[in-house]
Amino acid sequence: MSDKELLKTIQNDIKNIDKCIDMCDSDDGIDYLKSIQKDLRKEEIKIVKKMAITKALKEKQHGQTTTRYIINS
């Protein structure tokens, strides 16, 4: 699975968890879903960083002007 496909899947999962949180009536269930969502957001950030770095490296290799990417750790 490509990074773009994986990113799209993770973003879709985050949206679906939002819907589940809205329907959940248990505080424990909500906490559990939010913890999953938090982990998915971390993975989302990792993939976006990887894609930005890969794009910057490709641009540099091809002699193009590189766009400055701000990547916060």
Side-chain angles (χ1 to χ4, degrees):
M1 183 178 284
S2 73
D3 286 339
K4 284 184 179 182
E5 291 171 331
L6 185 57
L7 181 61
K8 188 174 180 178
T9 300
I10 288 173
Q11 290 170 337
N12 188 42
D13 289 347
I14 290 170
K15 288 178 187 176
N16 288 336
I17 289 175
D18 274 335
K19 292 175 186 176
C20 292
I21 288 171
D22 290 341
M23 294 186 295
C24 189
D25 58 358
S26 163
D27 288 338
D28 290 336
I30 290 171
D31 291 341
Y32 176 70
L33 291 170
K34 284 185 178 182
S35 70
I36 293 171
Q37 194 176 48
K38 182 179 176 181
D39 291 339
L40 285 171
R41 289 189 194 280
K42 287 179 185 178
E43 289 302 313
E44 178 184 29
I45 290 168
K46 285 180 189 177
I47 293 169
V48 170
K49 284 181 181 181
K50 180 182 173 189
M51 289 171 65
I53 291 168
T54 301
K55 182 177 180 180
L57 289 173
K58 283 182 182 177
E59 287 176 357
K60 186 161 181 85
Q61 287 175 351
H62 290 95
Q64 298 173 350
T65 305
T66 56
T67 306
R68 293 186 183 194
Y69 295 97
I70 300 172
I71 302 174
N72 296 324
S73 301

